[in-house]
Amino acid sequence: MAASMASQAAARGLRTATSKHILLDKLKCTWLSPRRWLNLQEYQSKKLMQESGVAVQRFYVADTASEALEAAKRLDAKEIVLKAQILAGGRGKGVFDSGLKGGVHLTKDPAVVGELANKMLGFNLTTKQTPKDGVKVKTVMVAEALDITRETYFAILMDRSCNGPVMVGSPQGGMDIEEVAASTPELIFKEVIDIFEGVRDDQALRMAANLGFKGPLQRQAADQIKRLYDLFLKVDATQVEVNPLGETPEGQVVCFDAKINFDDNAEFRQKAVFAMDDMTESDPTEMEAAKWDLKYIGLDGNIACFVNGAGLAMATCDIIDLHGGKPANFLDLGGGVKERQVYEAFKLLTADPKVEAILVNIFGGIVNCAIIANGITKACRELELKVPLVVRLEGTNVHEAKRILTESGLPITAAENLDDAAKKAVAAIKK
C-alpha cells in the first residue's frame, strides 16, 4: 500500500529531526536514519572544521549590528558575506519582517554590513523551511567572500551495507546531489573506508581526481579529504557533508558550506559539542518530549497516536487515514519504557487542543504491556482525561495489562488489532 499523506508527513518529520542520509551507488539510494537530534548553526560547524585544520572562509560571529560592523572591518576583505544564522535552508531567498529581503547578502562596504545586520538581528526570517511566522534571528555570521571557479560535492557518512564509513563525491557540486545521481549517476563516486586503516593516500588522491582537481590542487584536495575524515572521527559524526567543496581563482580548495550530523549515543564523550546545541528554534512540545526520551512530531489532525516504534507509528498513521481520520501527531515511545514516560506522553497529547481522541497502539516485544497499562490508568485518573481513549495492546505480559485496564473501571475502549483500533478511534470523534 502506498504511504498515506499522514505517514509521509511523519517520515518527513523524522528526516527533519534526524536528518537525511544517503549513500548514492549508481541509481540506488540507501537511507540511513539512526537516532540524530543535535542541530548546529552554520558558524558552529565551520568552527569545528576550522579546529581540525579544514580550510574554511575567515569569519566572525555577531549578536549586534555594531559587532557585525566591527567584524567586517577586522576582516579587511575585498568582499564580505553576511549570513543570518537560523536552522533552516533557503535563507538567501527568505524575507524578514523588517522588510529586508534575503538572509544572505554580499557587499564590499563594511558600513553596509552594520546597516544590514540592523535589519536582521531581532527580526523574524521566513523561508520555505521555517514556520509561517518565520524564526527570530539572534546571530549573524560575517565572513570573507571568496570567488568560486568550480564547485564539487563531498561527504563522509556511515553505511550499513559497508559496515562503516564511506566517502561519496561528485564533480557536480553546489546543487541537490539526489538530482545529480538521478540524471548523471556516472558522476557519483564512492570509496569505502577501512575503519582500521582510515583514509589511505591513494583513496584520497583518487577521490580528489574524481572530483576534478588537477595538479597541485589534487594533493590539496586530498589533504582536505583526510582532514575531514579526522573531524568525522573526532566528533563522532554520522555524516560530514560539504557542498560545495570549491576551488578558488587563487588556487585554494575551500569548504564553503558543510552539514555535520552527530551520533547522540556518543553524547557522553562529546560534551563540548553537544553543549553547542541550539534549542531555541525547536518546537516546545518536541523539546518537552525529548526530556522523557519520547519522539514527537506534530501533525494537523485530531486523533493522537501513542505508539512504540517508528515503523508501527507510521503504519498507525496510515490506517487512521485509511478509515477517514487524521492523525494529530506521531509519538514514538521507544523500547525501555517507564510508567512516568507514559504519564508524560499523555500530558503532551492532552495539551494539544486539536486532539479529540487518543489511540494507543503497543506491540510489546521488549516493552512490558503491564507497565504501559499502569501508566495509562495513572494518567487517565490524574489528568482527568476528557477525550475518548482507544487502546490496542499485544505482546509481552498482555493478559496482565488487559486485566489492569479492565479492573480500572475507566472508560477505555479496547481494540483487538490495529485495524479495529483505527476504526474505533475514527468512530469516537464522529459521535
Side-chain angles (χ1 to χ4, degrees), residues 176-194:
D176 192 331
I177 196 64
E178 289 95 332
E179 291 181 13
V180 177
S183 59
T184 52
E186 70 277 5
L187 294 180
I188 301 295
F189 298 93
K190 181 179 73 172
E191 290 277 349
V192 177
I193 302 170
D194 186 300

PDB file of all heavy atoms in Angstrom, residues 176-194:
ATOM      1  N   ASP A 176      21.515  19.972  -5.656  1.00  0.00           N
ATOM      2  CA  ASP A 176      20.924  18.818  -4.985  1.00  0.00           C
ATOM      3  C   ASP A 176      21.591  17.544  -5.496  1.00  0.00           C
ATOM      4  O   ASP A 176      21.483  17.198  -6.671  1.00  0.00           O
ATOM      5  CB  ASP A 176      19.419  18.787  -5.268  1.00  0.00           C
ATOM      6  CG  ASP A 176      18.690  17.809  -4.372  1.00  0.00           C
ATOM      7  OD1 ASP A 176      19.313  16.811  -3.959  1.00  0.00           O
ATOM      8  OD2 ASP A 176      17.514  18.052  -4.072  1.00  0.00           O
ATOM      9  N   ILE A 177      22.283  16.826  -4.604  1.00  0.00           N
ATOM     10  CA  ILE A 177      23.039  15.648  -5.027  1.00  0.00           C
ATOM     11  C   ILE A 177      22.128  14.523  -5.509  1.00  0.00           C
ATOM     12  O   ILE A 177      22.523  13.702  -6.353  1.00  0.00           O
ATOM     13  CB  ILE A 177      23.964  15.150  -3.881  1.00  0.00           C
ATOM     14  CG1 ILE A 177      25.037  14.175  -4.425  1.00  0.00           C
ATOM     15  CG2 ILE A 177      23.158  14.529  -2.766  1.00  0.00           C
ATOM     16  CD1 ILE A 177      26.000  14.795  -5.399  1.00  0.00           C
ATOM     17  N   GLU A 178      20.883  14.468  -5.016  1.00  0.00           N
ATOM     18  CA  GLU A 178      19.943  13.455  -5.488  1.00  0.00           C
ATOM     19  C   GLU A 178      19.637  13.655  -6.978  1.00  0.00           C
ATOM     20  O   GLU A 178      19.475  12.699  -7.735  1.00  0.00           O
ATOM     21  CB  GLU A 178      18.639  13.492  -4.683  1.00  0.00           C
ATOM     22  CG  GLU A 178      18.770  12.987  -3.259  1.00  0.00           C
ATOM     23  CD  GLU A 178      19.005  14.115  -2.265  1.00  0.00           C
ATOM     24  OE1 GLU A 178      19.574  15.142  -2.675  1.00  0.00           O
ATOM     25  OE2 GLU A 178      18.638  13.939  -1.094  1.00  0.00           O
ATOM     26  N   GLU A 179      19.567  14.931  -7.400  1.00  0.00           N
ATOM     27  CA  GLU A 179      19.305  15.220  -8.805  1.00  0.00           C
ATOM     28  C   GLU A 179      20.481  14.778  -9.675  1.00  0.00           C
ATOM     29  O   GLU A 179      20.303  14.273 -10.781  1.00  0.00           O
ATOM     30  CB  GLU A 179      19.042  16.721  -8.992  1.00  0.00           C
ATOM     31  CG  GLU A 179      17.744  17.205  -8.382  1.00  0.00           C
ATOM     32  CD  GLU A 179      17.515  18.687  -8.613  1.00  0.00           C
ATOM     33  OE1 GLU A 179      18.246  19.273  -9.446  1.00  0.00           O
ATOM     34  OE2 GLU A 179      16.611  19.257  -7.979  1.00  0.00           O
ATOM     35  N   VAL A 180      21.702  14.985  -9.163  1.00  0.00           N
ATOM     36  CA  VAL A 180      22.893  14.557  -9.892  1.00  0.00           C
ATOM     37  C   VAL A 180      22.868  13.043 -10.070  1.00  0.00           C
ATOM     38  O   VAL A 180      23.126  12.511 -11.157  1.00  0.00           O
ATOM     39  CB  VAL A 180      24.186  14.974  -9.155  1.00  0.00           C
ATOM     40  CG1 VAL A 180      25.412  14.446  -9.889  1.00  0.00           C
ATOM     41  CG2 VAL A 180      24.265  16.496  -9.025  1.00  0.00           C
ATOM     42  N   ALA A 181      22.537  12.331  -8.990  1.00  0.00           N
ATOM     43  CA  ALA A 181      22.504  10.868  -9.040  1.00  0.00           C
ATOM     44  C   ALA A 181      21.451  10.363 -10.015  1.00  0.00           C
ATOM     45  O   ALA A 181      21.651   9.363 -10.699  1.00  0.00           O
ATOM     46  CB  ALA A 181      22.248  10.309  -7.651  1.00  0.00           C
ATOM     47  N   ALA A 182      20.320  11.070 -10.090  1.00  0.00           N
ATOM     48  CA  ALA A 182      19.238  10.632 -10.971  1.00  0.00           C
ATOM     49  C   ALA A 182      19.555  10.908 -12.436  1.00  0.00           C
ATOM     50  O   ALA A 182      19.279  10.077 -13.310  1.00  0.00           O
ATOM     51  CB  ALA A 182      17.938  11.321 -10.572  1.00  0.00           C
ATOM     52  N   SER A 183      20.145  12.072 -12.711  1.00  0.00           N
ATOM     53  CA  SER A 183      20.376  12.461 -14.110  1.00  0.00           C
ATOM     54  C   SER A 183      21.715  11.991 -14.660  1.00  0.00           C
ATOM     55  O   SER A 183      21.829  11.630 -15.831  1.00  0.00           O
ATOM     56  CB  SER A 183      20.268  13.986 -14.254  1.00  0.00           C
ATOM     57  OG  SER A 183      21.217  14.635 -13.408  1.00  0.00           O
ATOM     58  N   THR A 184      22.756  11.998 -13.805  1.00  0.00           N
ATOM     59  CA  THR A 184      24.094  11.580 -14.261  1.00  0.00           C
ATOM     60  C   THR A 184      24.748  10.701 -13.198  1.00  0.00           C
ATOM     61  O   THR A 184      25.703  11.106 -12.536  1.00  0.00           O
ATOM     62  CB  THR A 184      24.984  12.815 -14.541  1.00  0.00           C
ATOM     63  OG1 THR A 184      24.968  13.674 -13.391  1.00  0.00           O
ATOM     64  CG2 THR A 184      24.529  13.572 -15.757  1.00  0.00           C
ATOM     65  N   PRO A 185      24.255   9.477 -13.025  1.00  0.00           N
ATOM     66  CA  PRO A 185      24.775   8.598 -11.969  1.00  0.00           C
ATOM     67  C   PRO A 185      26.260   8.277 -12.133  1.00  0.00           C
ATOM     68  O   PRO A 185      26.929   7.946 -11.153  1.00  0.00           O
ATOM     69  CB  PRO A 185      23.915   7.337 -12.081  1.00  0.00           C
ATOM     70  CG  PRO A 185      23.353   7.370 -13.462  1.00  0.00           C
ATOM     71  CD  PRO A 185      23.175   8.824 -13.787  1.00  0.00           C
ATOM     72  N   GLU A 186      26.766   8.396 -13.344  1.00  0.00           N
ATOM     73  CA  GLU A 186      28.192   8.110 -13.565  1.00  0.00           C
ATOM     74  C   GLU A 186      29.090   9.159 -12.917  1.00  0.00           C
ATOM     75  O   GLU A 186      30.311   8.944 -12.803  1.00  0.00           O
ATOM     76  CB  GLU A 186      28.479   8.020 -15.076  1.00  0.00           C
ATOM     77  CG  GLU A 186      28.396   9.330 -15.841  1.00  0.00           C
ATOM     78  CD  GLU A 186      26.963   9.713 -16.251  1.00  0.00           C
ATOM     79  OE1 GLU A 186      26.012   8.995 -15.858  1.00  0.00           O
ATOM     80  OE2 GLU A 186      26.804  10.725 -16.963  1.00  0.00           O
ATOM     81  N   LEU A 187      28.509  10.268 -12.479  1.00  0.00           N
ATOM     82  CA  LEU A 187      29.292  11.321 -11.829  1.00  0.00           C
ATOM     83  C   LEU A 187      29.285  11.197 -10.303  1.00  0.00           C
ATOM     84  O   LEU A 187      29.712  12.112  -9.602  1.00  0.00           O
ATOM     85  CB  LEU A 187      28.779  12.707 -12.243  1.00  0.00           C
ATOM     86  CG  LEU A 187      28.961  13.067 -13.720  1.00  0.00           C
ATOM     87  CD1 LEU A 187      28.418  14.451 -14.006  1.00  0.00           C
ATOM     88  CD2 LEU A 187      30.430  12.961 -14.127  1.00  0.00           C
ATOM     89  N   ILE A 188      28.774  10.087  -9.792  1.00  0.00           N
ATOM     90  CA  ILE A 188      28.807   9.816  -8.354  1.00  0.00           C
ATOM     91  C   ILE A 188      29.909   8.791  -8.089  1.00  0.00           C
ATOM     92  O   ILE A 188      29.904   7.701  -8.664  1.00  0.00           O
ATOM     93  CB  ILE A 188      27.460   9.265  -7.853  1.00  0.00           C
ATOM     94  CG1 ILE A 188      26.327  10.263  -8.143  1.00  0.00           C
ATOM     95  CG2 ILE A 188      27.536   8.960  -6.359  1.00  0.00           C
ATOM     96  CD1 ILE A 188      26.439  11.576  -7.407  1.00  0.00           C
ATOM     97  N   PHE A 189      30.847   9.145  -7.217  1.00  0.00           N
ATOM     98  CA  PHE A 189      31.973   8.255  -6.916  1.00  0.00           C
ATOM     99  C   PHE A 189      31.961   7.892  -5.434  1.00  0.00           C
ATOM    100  O   PHE A 189      31.607   8.714  -4.585  1.00  0.00           O
ATOM    101  CB  PHE A 189      33.296   8.940  -7.275  1.00  0.00           C
ATOM    102  CG  PHE A 189      33.414   9.267  -8.738  1.00  0.00           C
ATOM    103  CD1 PHE A 189      33.030  10.515  -9.214  1.00  0.00           C
ATOM    104  CD2 PHE A 189      33.872   8.324  -9.628  1.00  0.00           C
ATOM    105  CE1 PHE A 189      33.120  10.821 -10.564  1.00  0.00           C
ATOM    106  CE2 PHE A 189      33.971   8.613 -10.982  1.00  0.00           C
ATOM    107  CZ  PHE A 189      33.585   9.869 -11.458  1.00  0.00           C
ATOM    108  N   LYS A 190      32.369   6.655  -5.158  1.00  0.00           N
ATOM    109  CA  LYS A 190      32.303   6.136  -3.786  1.00  0.00           C
ATOM    110  C   LYS A 190      33.614   5.444  -3.430  1.00  0.00           C
ATOM    111  O   LYS A 190      34.206   4.749  -4.261  1.00  0.00           O
ATOM    112  CB  LYS A 190      31.138   5.163  -3.661  1.00  0.00           C
ATOM    113  CG  LYS A 190      30.943   4.565  -2.274  1.00  0.00           C
ATOM    114  CD  LYS A 190      29.751   3.633  -2.235  1.00  0.00           C
ATOM    115  CE  LYS A 190      30.045   2.338  -2.951  1.00  0.00           C
ATOM    116  NZ  LYS A 190      28.957   1.337  -2.765  1.00  0.00           N
ATOM    117  N   GLU A 191      34.045   5.643  -2.192  1.00  0.00           N
ATOM    118  CA  GLU A 191      35.229   4.960  -1.664  1.00  0.00           C
ATOM    119  C   GLU A 191      34.889   4.443  -0.269  1.00  0.00           C
ATOM    120  O   GLU A 191      34.549   5.226   0.622  1.00  0.00           O
ATOM    121  CB  GLU A 191      36.427   5.908  -1.564  1.00  0.00           C
ATOM    122  CG  GLU A 191      37.017   6.348  -2.892  1.00  0.00           C
ATOM    123  CD  GLU A 191      37.985   5.328  -3.473  1.00  0.00           C
ATOM    124  OE1 GLU A 191      38.361   4.373  -2.742  1.00  0.00           O
ATOM    125  OE2 GLU A 191      38.359   5.485  -4.650  1.00  0.00           O
ATOM    126  N   VAL A 192      34.974   3.131  -0.072  1.00  0.00           N
ATOM    127  CA  VAL A 192      34.726   2.542   1.247  1.00  0.00           C
ATOM    128  C   VAL A 192      35.971   2.722   2.110  1.00  0.00           C
ATOM    129  O   VAL A 192      37.090   2.443   1.668  1.00  0.00           O
ATOM    130  CB  VAL A 192      34.382   1.048   1.122  1.00  0.00           C
ATOM    131  CG1 VAL A 192      34.187   0.426   2.506  1.00  0.00           C
ATOM    132  CG2 VAL A 192      33.133   0.864   0.270  1.00  0.00           C
ATOM    133  N   ILE A 193      35.787   3.194   3.333  1.00  0.00           N
ATOM    134  CA  ILE A 193      36.904   3.453   4.237  1.00  0.00           C
ATOM    135  C   ILE A 193      37.076   2.294   5.207  1.00  0.00           C
ATOM    136  O   ILE A 193      36.120   1.892   5.887  1.00  0.00           O
ATOM    137  CB  ILE A 193      36.674   4.758   5.035  1.00  0.00           C
ATOM    138  CG1 ILE A 193      36.495   5.945   4.073  1.00  0.00           C
ATOM    139  CG2 ILE A 193      37.833   5.025   5.997  1.00  0.00           C
ATOM    140  CD1 ILE A 193      36.031   7.225   4.763  1.00  0.00           C
ATOM    141  N   ASP A 194      38.274   1.753   5.277  1.00  0.00           N
ATOM    142  CA  ASP A 194      38.590   0.723   6.261  1.00  0.00           C
ATOM    143  C   ASP A 194      38.742   1.397   7.624  1.00  0.00           C
ATOM    144  O   ASP A 194      39.565   2.293   7.793  1.00  0.00           O
ATOM    145  CB  ASP A 194      39.898   0.022   5.872  1.00  0.00           C
ATOM    146  CG  ASP A 194      40.207  -1.168   6.778  1.00  0.00           C
ATOM    147  OD1 ASP A 194      40.350  -0.960   7.999  1.00  0.00           O
ATOM    148  OD2 ASP A 194      40.320  -2.287   6.256  1.00  0.00           O
TER     149      ASP A 194
END
